[in-house]
Amino acid sequence: MTQITPELVKEHGLTEGEYAHIKRLLNREPSLVELGIFSVMWSEHCSYKSTRFHLRKLPTKAPWVLQGPGENAGVIDIGDGDACIFKMESHNHPSFIEPYQGAATGVGGIMRDVFTMGARPIAMMNALRFGDPSHPKTRHLVEGVVHGIGGYGNCMGVPTVGGEVNFHRSYNGNILVNAMCVGLAKANNIFLSAAKGAGNPVVYIGSKTGRDGIHGATMASAEFDDASDEKRPTVQVGDPFTEKLLLEACLELMATDAIIAIQDMGAAGLTSSSAEMGDRGGSGIELDLDKVPQREANMTAYEMMLSESQERMLAVLKPGREAEAEAIFRKWELDFAVIGITTDTKRLVVKHKGETVADMPITALSDEAPVLERPFTPPAPKHAPVTFDKSKKLMDSLLTVIGSPDMASRRWVWEQYDHTVMADTVQRPGGDAAVVRVHGTNKGLAISTDVTPRYCQADPFEGAKQAVAESYRNITAVGARPLAVTDNLNFGNPQKPQIMGQIVAGIDGIGEACRALDYPVIGGNCSLYNETNGEGILPTPAIGGVGLMQDVHCMATIALKREGDALLLIGEMRGHLGQSIYLREVEAREEGGAPPVDLAAERKHGEFVRKLIESGRVDTVHDCSDGGLLSALAEMAMAGNIGIDVGVAGTTVEAIPFFFGEDQARYVLAVPAKEADRIESELREAGIIHALIGKTIVEKVVRVEREGEISIAALRKAHEGWFPKYMSAPHTN
């Protein structure tokens, strides 16, 4: 028997205090298998021990929320007996070490979270953050991650319909790969993971268990250092073809009434799936590891319990239904084995080769997991006024901004994803939100992922509010009603009070925005310790939002559609340049505060715009955010290949802040001329600040009164050219 030493405890990521608590819970020293089980279940990745106290403050309920946090994914009612199931999760650490497999298995894992609840995945999104483009490793990571996402999603036959790609030096040593999956199910046929009752068979389905991914959850709960590449064995290896078979087999089994509970074997594999199922069902589980399908010889109990081999599920069946279930999985050429039974002991008992290698209270892995109220230093928001260089030429600056890494077209990325498979993608990547039809209906789901980390660095509270508000705007801008969000909280080391302060402020900002916008949080993921050699990432609380469109035929896009339309700006123009793309890309400064977010204005403006789209009166809308007004106008012109003529008469804001300021709660609308006066009248009646700023024209230029013009062709060359040029350059590493 392996002796448990202080060094071994430390290797498992447990503190002296946590180990002492384990001994009290067991009334004895743990076995090596038990130590491994505690190490993964009490890890930050699985237990959320640094954030659980604060996450309880988030709003999670609404009349349309069928399942909030606590299950594999959240569920919302979208009417007509349909439910939408979605979640976003991170695969940051694995993707930095092994970008292709890290990103691929992130996609596979989040899909399993969705289809384990009875949903067929219909759309994938992602939010990606990479280091400085000039860093020697960045291009290699971009290439690997994008190919990994495409390789897995394309093989699964699920469209990847949009997302984010950003660059900043803070991610040089720790990239972020957040994957989001959206699925459809019947509202009366949702599958949960609560293993209720005793005497029910516990079955293993999917791929065989190997040694890949052991201690993946623990690795994801620690900082990186210069030896990070040595952790390559903790990265899982994915097989999308097997996952496709698993998806179809699970959905076939779910069409019967044989399942009591089902759970994905994700982080911590067999350990977390069995412990969580037993805990949620108030039961115990007894496992016989001799019956686990294994693809490697002489695997130990420790290895089997901690393996994170992919494409595996655990299910609890009604007694007597084993043969029926096995027949389904054998038909799909998947492993199936009865490996245990539910009990009334509320204990997790693990047997191997005739010996009991673990016997522990299931609540010790859940309820007794540490909940830490870590000390934190409230962040001091930056509010310093920002100056700007008045000698800069507006059109030259626009060319720089529109062709910069964070603003350039992501076509190179999304063309590697199959975004039209399943034939229900109504709005493709490149707009404010993706739109996917609810198959066989006119309804659509609008999906967006959003966060602006530079705002969150300047003011984590206001930046997190802005992430929610931008998600709300993007979904509104296509004509959908925002219904719920999933979050992915990416931060540095929570043991540092200033980082913990960012986390608390970020959660509070999300909570305030979601309450004000009636936009509940129905699930999510925390990814902490995103640091390398003590240098943390920008705080990045990514928001994945989903909204409902009643009729996809009344949908707006960003592309200008007609000459002679009036250009209408909704929202107040203050010219906020702090933390703007303009300031960073044109003047090489990262300064100032985050733009303030008026949530009442966000809701009021959003509801007004949505009604215009739903009624069919407006079909061209663009959220105004990164890069400011002129960037939004340029994107609309390029998308529709129609020119614009803009004037600035009557404003007291100078040209650069007017056109590049990143004030919030703003939309740009291209309004048919015959509707313009009536819409303006309605805006005045509603008390909404707005301005007619120009019109669409025959000439294919972006023209600004007294500031000159630039051709759409020149803008497109800069905008479309950055990514292909960057990715085709010779590798330096």
Side-chain angles (χ1 to χ4, degrees):
M1 183 175 174
T2 302
Q3 183 180 358
I4 308 299
T5 64
E7 291 75 25
L8 192 59
V9 171
K10 188 176 180 182
E11 281 176 24
H12 281 73
L14 294 163
T15 66
E16 290 181 19
E18 287 171 343
Y19 184 65
H21 189 41
I22 289 169
K23 289 195 291 184
R24 286 194 297 271
L25 290 169
L26 296 178
N27 240 358
R28 57 176 169 78
E29 294 269 351
S31 68
L32 177 63
V33 174
E34 290 168 334
L35 182 70
I37 288 171
F38 273 108
S39 81
V40 291
M41 292 305 293
W42 284 16
S43 71
E44 194 74 65
H45 192 75
C46 291
S47 75
Y48 292 2
K49 56 189 172 186
S50 297
T51 54
R52 245 192 307 168
F53 175 80
H54 300 283
L55 292 171
R56 293 168 183 157
K57 297 180 283 185
L58 292 173
T60 59
K61 293 181 170 59
W64 54 89
V65 174
L66 301 179
Q67 176 66 55
E71 269 294 339
N72 287 295
V75 187
I76 54 175
D77 188 337
I78 59 171
D80 307 307
D82 297 322
C84 173
I85 299 177
F86 67 96
K87 193 180 183 185
M88 180 160 57
E89 282 203 342
S90 60
H91 232 220
N92 303 336
H93 286 57
S95 298
F96 183 76
I97 296 169
E98 176 47 64
Y100 184 93
Q101 289 295 348
T105 51
V107 169
I110 196 64
M111 281 198 203
R112 287 195 301 279
D113 279 341
V114 167
F115 74 72
T116 193
M117 297 191 71
R120 179 172 291 279
I122 61 163
M124 293 294 301
M125 298 280 281
N126 52 73
L128 312 177
R129 317 282 163 186
F130 297 102
D132 190 308
S134 65
H135 189 275
K137 202 167 183 177
T138 297
R139 188 162 44 244
H140 160 72
L141 292 168
V142 172
E143 188 171 54
V145 166
V146 170
H147 288 161
I149 291 169
Y152 208 102
N154 295 355
C155 290
M156 285 294 293
V158 179
T160 299
V161 293
E164 294 186 287
V165 184
N166 292 116
F167 298 87
H168 191 273
R169 62 183 179 279
S170 75
Y171 306 106
N172 281 349
N174 201 125
I175 65 172
L176 302 184
V177 175
N178 297 169
M180 179 177 174
C181 182
V182 179
L184 283 175
K186 289 300 176 184
N188 62 356
N189 202 34
I190 306 298
F191 289 82
L192 304 180
S193 59
K196 295 177 180 177
N200 301 315
V202 177
V203 300
Y204 173 117
I205 47 187
S207 289
K208 289 180 169 61
T209 293
R211 291 188 170 94
D212 55 321
I214 293 173
H215 271 300
T218 311
M219 180 267 288
S221 305
E223 292 183 27
F224 278 162
D225 54 30
D226 290 331
S228 295
D229 279 350
E230 295 172 11
K231 296 179 180 177
R232 201 173 298 274
T234 61
V235 177
Q236 310 92 323
V237 178
D239 179 356
F241 298 103
T242 298
E243 176 126 339
K244 175 63 173 171
L245 300 177
L246 183 61
L247 163 64
E248 299 301 339
C250 284
L251 292 180
E252 185 173 334
L253 181 61
M254 288 165 173
T256 72
D257 64 347
I259 297 174
I260 292 173
I262 186 165
Q263 171 86 0
D264 162 43
M265 285 194 222
L270 194 51
T271 288
S272 63
S273 54
S274 56
E276 288 171 5
M277 290 174 81
D279 178 56
R280 289 168 185 163
S283 65
I285 288 188
E286 186 174 304
L287 300 176
D288 182 353
L289 298 186
D290 294 342
K291 297 177 180 177
V292 170
Q294 300 160 52
R295 69 165 183 259
E296 299 184 47
N298 302 315
M299 288 193 72
T300 65
Y302 180 96
E303 290 171 330
M304 279 187 271
M305 288 302 290
L306 269 62
S307 167
E308 292 184 12
S309 294
Q310 297 292 285
E311 294 85 42
R312 302 179 301 158
M313 310 278 269
L314 200 64
V316 175
L317 303 181
K318 293 176 180 177
R321 307 299 291 274
E322 298 93 325
E324 178 185 357
E326 181 171 8
I328 291 172
F329 283 89
R330 295 296 182 200
K331 182 185 81 172
W332 289 99
E333 300 181 347
L334 294 165
D335 278 286
F336 177 96
V338 179
I339 66 167
I341 193 167
T342 59
T343 68
D344 59 5
T345 64
K346 295 188 178 181
R347 298 184 74 82
L348 176 63
V349 178
V350 182
K351 296 182 177 179
H352 186 228
K353 295 184 177 177
E355 292 184 14
T356 298
V357 294
D359 185 349
M360 55 222 299
I362 277 185
T363 54
L365 303 174
S366 54
D367 297 349
E368 293 294 336
V371 178
L372 305 177
E373 293 184 50
R374 292 193 186 276
F376 65 90
T377 303
K382 297 176 182 176
H383 291 306
V386 170
T387 59
F388 62 93
D389 185 347
K390 297 183 181 183
S391 69
K392 296 290 185 185
K393 299 292 186 185
L394 203 69
M395 291 305 167
D396 292 345
S397 297
L398 174 61
L399 205 60
T400 299
V401 166
I402 212 76
S404 66
D406 275 8
M407 293 293 292
S409 168
R410 271 70 182 122
R411 184 183 298 275
W412 180 90
V413 175
W414 58 256
E415 282 189 340
Q416 298 184 59
Y417 306 148
D418 190 339
H419 50 275
T420 60
V421 66
M422 300 179 86
D424 280 319
T425 304
V426 183
Q427 187 158 164
R428 301 181 181 189
D432 282 325
V435 180
V436 179
R437 186 193 307 269
V438 176
H439 191 72
T441 75
N442 284 329
K443 293 188 299 187
L445 294 172
I447 315 162
S448 183
T449 56
D450 298 283
V451 65
T452 309
R454 60 185 188 277
Y455 295 168
C456 298
Q457 177 74 2
D459 186 339
F461 178 77
E462 207 67 21
K465 276 172 58 181
Q466 191 275 340
V468 175
E470 185 165 354
S471 166
Y472 182 90
R473 276 200 308 276
N474 281 329
I475 288 170
T476 295
V478 297
R481 178 190 169 207
L483 288 179
V485 305
T486 175
D487 58 35
N488 205 144
L489 307 181
N490 306 277
F491 289 89
N493 184 345
Q495 296 175 44
K496 297 177 180 179
Q498 68 272 25
I499 300 296
M500 195 64 215
Q502 292 177 346
I503 296 168
V504 174
I507 292 171
D508 288 346
I510 291 170
E512 181 168 304
C514 287
R515 277 186 289 271
L517 298 172
D518 208 7
Y519 199 27
V521 180
I522 63 166
N525 172 249
C526 292
S527 174
L528 309 184
Y529 294 95
N530 288 292
E531 299 199 4
T532 298
N533 294 327
E535 184 176 341
I537 61 165
L538 297 182
T540 311
I543 299 294
V546 172
L548 178 64
M549 185 181 294
Q550 292 297 342
D551 186 351
V552 294
H553 299 100
C554 291
M555 178 182 72
T557 68
I558 72 169
L560 298 174
K561 297 170 183 68
R562 294 163 296 274
E563 293 150 11
D565 275 6
L567 296 171
L568 183 64
L569 174 65
I570 290 179
E572 188 174 2
M573 178 67 76
R574 296 179 180 175
H576 184 97
L577 281 178
Q579 299 300 328
S580 64
I581 289 281
Y582 166 84
L583 206 64
R584 189 179 76 190
E585 298 299 332
V586 177
E587 300 198 19
R589 293 186 285 139
E590 295 182 43
E591 296 176 7
V597 179
D598 182 338
L599 294 168
E602 292 284 1
R603 185 162 185 168
K604 188 175 185 179
H605 299 179
E607 289 174 351
F608 186 93
V609 169
R610 192 179 314 118
K611 286 175 184 174
L612 288 176
I613 301 168
E614 288 174 340
S615 64
R617 296 169 65 193
V618 171
D619 60 6
T620 308
V621 178
H622 195 4
D623 155 52
C624 193
S625 51
D626 270 0
L629 173 61
L630 195 54
S631 298
L633 290 167
E635 288 168 348
M636 296 170 82
M638 287 187 288
N641 200 31
I642 290 175
I644 59 173
D645 191 346
V646 180
V648 293
T651 181
T652 58
V653 180
E654 294 187 67
I656 286 175
F658 183 91
F659 283 109
F660 293 113
E662 296 182 5
D663 304 297
Q664 301 296 296
R666 295 186 302 161
Y667 299 84
V668 181
L669 283 60
V671 179
K674 64 180 187 298
E675 281 283 333
D677 287 346
R678 185 175 154 209
I679 291 173
E680 269 214 283
S681 175
E682 291 167 3
L683 283 162
R684 282 192 291 270
E685 192 175 324
I688 295 175
I689 295 173
H690 64 281
L692 275 173
I693 57 171
K695 62 183 179 181
T696 58
I697 57 175
V698 174
E699 300 96 322
K700 297 191 184 308
V701 297
V702 171
R703 179 183 299 144
V704 176
E705 183 184 358
R706 296 193 300 273
E707 299 289 344
E709 64 181 48
I710 188 169
S711 71
I712 291 175
L715 287 170
R716 184 173 285 115
K717 182 179 179 183
H719 187 58
E720 297 276 358
W722 186 85
F723 241 109
K725 183 179 179 183
Y726 177 67
M727 295 308 299
S728 64
H731 284 276
T732 56
N733 60 331

